Structure formats: C-alpha cells, structure tokens
Amino acid sequence: MELAFEGADLKAVLNRLRRAQGQIAGVIRMIEEGRDCEDVVTQLAAASRALDRAGFAIIATGLQQCASDVETGRRNGEDSEAMRARLEKLFLSLA
C-alpha cells in the first residue's frame, strides 16, 4: 500500500521525524562528550517517543486509506482477512 500524505499530515510526520533526528544526533553528541547516563537515557527516550508518534501517524493515515480502498473495492484483490493481518503486523511492529 502506498501512502499519500497531504498538507498538515505530511508536515506533522516530517516534523516528528526531524525532531527525532535531532534528538538522536544530540544523544550521539552526549555520549561522545561523556555526559551523564541519566541525561543520555532521557534524551534517548524522547527520541523513541518521537519515532513512535511518527509511526502511529503513518499507521493512522494508512488505516484511513485502507478503509477508503475497502469501501470502493480498490484493494487489488486483497481480502479483508489478509488486510487485517497486514495491519495487525504493522501495529505490532510499533508495540
């Protein structure tokens, strides 16, 4: 399934990913500088949350598009059980 992001949705996902990218760069810098372990872990947790939120936003967009595909019968022959299994796998990948 190809995702089609538009306007505010695209901007929100990209912002979250850029935030995570900056936080990961910060973690690398902190480790290189020998910073306190607690500070490093706190920053790493923030990066992880940013990635999770981006992933959930992508899945939410995918769900909207899948629902639309099912309603209009454009799912390229994939039955509802196969689609459910695929979406479940996506959700579990973020768990």
Side-chain angles (χ1 to χ4, degrees):
M1 170 180 61
E2 187 174 314
L3 291 177
F5 284 97
E6 296 178 2
D9 292 335
L10 175 63
K11 185 176 180 178
V13 168
L14 291 176
N15 284 343
R16 284 195 169 108
L17 291 172
R18 286 185 183 110
R19 183 178 307 125
Q21 183 179 32
Q23 289 166 326
I24 291 169
V27 168
I28 292 169
R29 230 178 0 266
M30 292 169 78
I31 291 170
E32 290 173 343
E33 294 169 356
R35 298 275 299 273
D36 181 65
C37 178
E38 186 175 342
D39 294 339
V40 171
V41 171
T42 298
Q43 189 68 16
L44 192 57
S48 179
R49 283 191 304 274
L51 287 172
D52 286 345
R53 287 181 178 266
F56 290 134
I58 290 167
I59 287 176
T61 299
L63 283 174
Q64 282 181 314
Q65 291 176 13
C66 285
S68 174
D69 287 349
V70 167
E71 290 172 12
T72 59
R74 296 178 294 158
R75 220 21 231 142
N76 296 330
E78 182 178 45
D79 66 15
S80 61
E81 183 61 27
M83 184 173 16
R84 187 203 61 78
R86 189 167 46 85
L87 292 172
E88 181 180 335
K89 184 177 177 182
L90 281 174
F91 277 116
L92 290 173
S93 71
L94 289 174

